[in-house]
Amino acid sequence: MADLPHNMTAIEISTPGGPEVLKPCDRPVPVPGPGEVLLKVAYAGVNRPDVVQRKGLYPPPPGASDLPGLEVSGTVVATGPDVDDGEMGGRYCALVSGGGYAEYCIARLDQCLPVAASLGMAEAAALPETLFTVWHNVFERGYACDGETILVHGGTSGIGTMAIKLGKLYGLEVIVTCGSDAKCDAAKALGADHAINYNSTDFVEAVKAITGGAGVHIVLDMVAGSYVPRNLQCLREDGRHVTIAVQGGMVAEINMAQVMMRRLTLTGSTLRPRTAAFKALLALEIYQSVWPMVTDGALRPEMNRIFPLREAAAAHAYMESGDHVGKIILEV
């Protein structure tokens, strides 16, 4: 690391609050430890958990950087003591536990995915958080199978657009909900089979109509709260309900007799606090099962807008406006 600067520009959360609390600052360049590499960051993804952390509601797990940013793309410029020097100069995107909003970021090598020449670094930075989340929750926790039907809330979010694209590649019928007719049109243009405007249509009745009363096999839910009992009405027998966020509230009241009689499964997960070993295994499965589709161009993230790193506050304000379709990225 002798050739690297001692300090770097980063974006820190100066105090919990609105987008304006994101401030550029100088921080020491971090030093990689065992199993880690230091990436010179090219781009960093902006995700909803970053917003929740900024508000003071989602503290980083023990040992993680206090800087926001859960996914990056970049080039290896230093390695930990047990990492082969041959990794130097490698182009990777990575799932990280924090620290992405910076010029340099530590990543575990076993949570990195190689960026092929066919993939731009901006697109690479838009992949890890959504791809890891959708793969784990739809296919590992939701047991999605070819020919099944899934209901995805927030169809034009980063998660929603990835669920559409990955779902169609794996033979799922994808129904999404969106907040406007324009967003419904955008979701269908990305491959969704059906899109429901939840502001003008009862999505429960719409799902029943679309499925001929049978219901869907899986609901991917990022709302929770009052949506949960309505989601359960959308499920067919033996259906699976997977919660990945609680934007509508953490408490839901449901009829457990319906869960028993219809043999429903309720599950969910949050990725950030999972162990490094778990994330490494998940990265390996994605590398083996999904990454060939990324390399050959069959799977690409839906890109929306790129902001300079120093304009992270504007990027957060844009995300909270709800106007985006797909991923918001910071250019470092």
Side-chain angles (χ1 to χ4, degrees):
M1 297 190 50
D3 297 331
L4 298 176
H6 294 293
N7 293 320
M8 65 179 182
T9 298
I11 302 296
E12 67 181 5
I13 301 169
S14 58
T15 186
E20 70 280 356
V21 306
L22 294 174
K23 303 289 188 182
C25 65
D26 285 331
R27 289 283 186 98
V29 173
V31 177
E36 296 177 340
V37 294
L38 179 67
L39 296 176
K40 188 178 191 306
V41 179
Y43 296 87
V46 177
N47 293 283
R48 186 66 59 175
D50 302 339
V51 173
V52 182
Q53 178 179 340
R54 190 202 73 222
K55 294 178 178 179
L57 302 174
Y58 191 30
S65 170
D66 66 307
L67 299 174
L70 301 177
E71 60 183 349
V72 297
S73 66
T75 304
V76 177
V77 292
T79 60
D82 59 345
V83 176
D84 193 322
D85 287 344
E87 295 293 342
M88 291 289 291
R91 295 183 353 137
Y92 287 105
C93 60
L95 183 74
V96 296
S97 295
Y101 290 16
E103 292 182 302
Y104 295 88
C105 180
I106 293 289
R108 289 192 57 84
L109 182 59
D110 54 16
Q111 290 172 213
C112 292
L113 293 164
V115 179
S118 60
L119 181 65
M121 292 296 268
E123 288 182 308
L127 281 167
E129 175 70 11
T130 56
L131 184 52
F132 277 60
T133 298
V134 172
W135 180 260
H136 176 55
N137 287 285
V138 172
F139 294 96
E140 294 184 341
R141 304 198 70 82
Y143 302 107
C145 296
D146 184 16
E148 291 191 327
T149 303
I150 184 171
L151 171 64
V152 178
H153 291 301
T156 53
S157 66
I159 293 289
T161 54
M162 178 57 68
I164 292 170
K165 294 186 176 192
L166 201 56
K168 295 312 299 177
L169 285 171
Y170 278 86
L172 302 182
E173 181 179 6
V174 181
I175 305 170
V176 301
T177 65
C178 304
S180 69
D181 289 342
K183 285 199 168 186
C184 286
D185 290 341
K188 287 189 284 189
L190 292 175
D193 297 284
H194 307 276
I196 304 163
N197 182 344
Y198 59 77
N199 282 315
S200 62
T201 304
D202 182 340
F203 72 80
V204 176
E205 294 303 317
V207 166
K208 289 179 179 178
I210 292 168
T211 62
V216 300
H217 298 86
I218 306 163
V219 174
L220 184 63
D221 172 47
M222 57 190 78
V223 183
S226 63
Y227 263 47
V228 177
R230 299 173 68 196
N231 290 339
L232 299 189
Q233 293 179 56
C234 295
L235 286 172
R236 64 175 62 202
E237 290 188 349
D238 296 300
R240 290 88 75 190
H241 184 280
V242 188
T243 297
I244 59 171
V246 290
Q247 295 177 27
M250 293 184 286
V251 178
E253 183 175 334
I254 62 174
N255 184 338
M256 292 305 297
Q258 285 294 315
V259 173
M260 293 187 296
M261 289 188 294
R262 298 169 55 213
R263 302 175 304 281
L264 305 179
T265 298
L266 277 68
T267 186
S269 74
T270 181
L271 187 57
R272 191 180 191 185
R274 297 298 296 270
T275 66
F278 169 82
K279 293 176 187 177
L281 288 172
L282 184 55
L284 178 60
E285 183 170 345
I286 287 171
Y287 177 71
Q288 294 172 337
S289 301
V290 184
W291 211 243
M293 300 180 188
V294 175
T295 300
D296 68 16
L299 179 64
R300 287 288 186 268
E302 184 63 20
M303 304 294 286
N304 183 260
R305 189 170 171 185
I306 298 175
F307 290 81
L309 177 65
R310 288 181 173 272
E311 295 180 17
H316 273 226
Y318 180 56
M319 171 168 276
E320 290 187 280
S321 75
D323 292 336
H324 61 293
V325 175
K327 292 288 294 191
I328 302 168
I329 302 297
L330 299 177
E331 183 175 9
V332 183

